[in-house]
Every structure is written in C-alpha cells, then in structure tokens.
Amino acid sequence: RFLAGDWSKLHAEAEVAGLSWDAIIAAEAIYRPETYADLAALMDRCLAPAGVAWFAGKRFYFGCGGGTASFASFLRDRGFRVDTEVAIEDGRSNVREILRVVREGHL
C-alpha cells in the first residue's frame, strides 16, 4: 500500500489502520529537522520488526538545517541502526547519500 503526505497525518492514519511495512522508501524527505520526530514516530509505528527503510537525500541542506548526517544522528539516539549505503560525491556539488535504517538488533 502506498501512502503520501504529511508525516504526522500519515502516522495517525497508519495507527488507525494498523499498517506495517517491510520497506519504507523516501527521497528528499529529511531537509527540515523539525519533521524528524514525526518521521521517526511513523517509522517506529509502521516499520515491521525486521523491516528496512531507505532515505535518499543530501548530507547537508544549506539554509534548512537538515540532511542525512543530522537525520542519522537523530534516529540513532532513538534506537535505530543507520548506515550509509551509498555516498555520491562528484567534487562539484553537495554530497548525496542513501541511508539504510533498521531497528537496533537487526541486520
């Protein structure tokens, strides 16, 4: 099932419907740190125990304060394991990364 929209509204909808996913995929979703808590709550509610989430984004979003580095740190502090699966560095633009997120204790 595909869902899109505001993280806090999706969390409420997922809670009511009892949804759980084996995979969560998002791109350009982590540029504003004030959304991290809603996104982490959604993953905590909806990511299956052995599920995997992938987030693609820039290491730093200048002017917004977010990015893969701060998002990874935020999630680690909340019990998720976060690894950088891919880093794309061309030497001319911002570093782009794909983060792999699982619940702590899962590979």
Side-chain angles (χ1 to χ4, degrees), residues 1-5 7 10 13 19-21 23-27:
R1 181 172 182 189
F2 174 80
L3 293 177
W7 300 125
L10 290 175
E13 184 177 335
L19 299 176
S20 177
W21 291 283
I24 296 173
I25 301 170

Side-chain angles (χ1 to χ4, degrees), residues 18-64:
L19 299 176
S20 177
W21 291 283
D22 294 323
I24 296 173
I25 301 170
E28 301 298 329
I30 55 175
Y31 55 90
R32 292 179 41 220
E34 60 268 21
T35 66
Y36 292 177
D38 287 333
L39 185 50
L42 179 65
M43 282 198 316
D44 192 45
R45 168 64 190 88
C46 295
L47 187 62
V52 180
W54 289 276
F55 290 88
K58 296 174 183 162
R59 188 174 289 165
F60 301 104
Y61 286 92
F62 300 103
C64 299

Side-chain angles (χ1 to χ4, degrees), residues 58-59 86-97:
K58 296 174 183 162
R59 188 174 289 165
V86 176
I88 302 165
E89 301 182 54
D90 64 10
R92 295 184 310 247
S93 62
N94 199 336
V95 177
R96 287 157 175 78
E97 296 179 318

